[in-house]
């Protein structure tokens, strides 16, 4: 610091001195998160501890995983499952 002027550090121009930015950190964290479960058997096993019947499998086609989980959690079988 000479007369109020800050001198750049010697590493300021170093091309190997890399500091990750926010976008890079978010991307790295997102890579560690597993993708959401989309398998119908896994959804049923996780919520009701059983696999879906043929009728349930047929009626679930066309719905998103989010909709299926909502229906499973709000159903009477989930509420009384021990």
């Amino acid at each position: 610091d000479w007369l109020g002027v800050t001198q750049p550090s010697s590493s300021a121009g170093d091309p190997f001195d890399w500091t990750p930015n926010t976008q890079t950190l978010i991307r790295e964290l997102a890579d560690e998160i597993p993708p959401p479960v989309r398998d119908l058997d896994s959804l049923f096993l996780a919520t009701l501890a059983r696999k879906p019947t043929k009728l349930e499998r047929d009626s679930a086609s066309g719905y998103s995983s989010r909709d299926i989980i909502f229906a499973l959690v709000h159903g009477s079988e989930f509420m009384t499952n021990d």
Side-chain angles (χ1 to χ4, degrees), residues 8-44:
S9 66
S10 60
S11 65
D14 185 3
F16 297 105
D17 185 25
W18 179 75
T19 306
N21 60 19
T22 306
Q23 288 292 98
T24 305
L25 293 174
I26 290 172
R27 193 173 304 116
E28 288 174 0
L29 290 172
D31 288 343
E32 296 175 8
I33 299 172
V37 176
R38 300 207 191 290
D39 179 29
L40 188 62
D41 287 347
S42 298
L43 295 176
F44 267 76

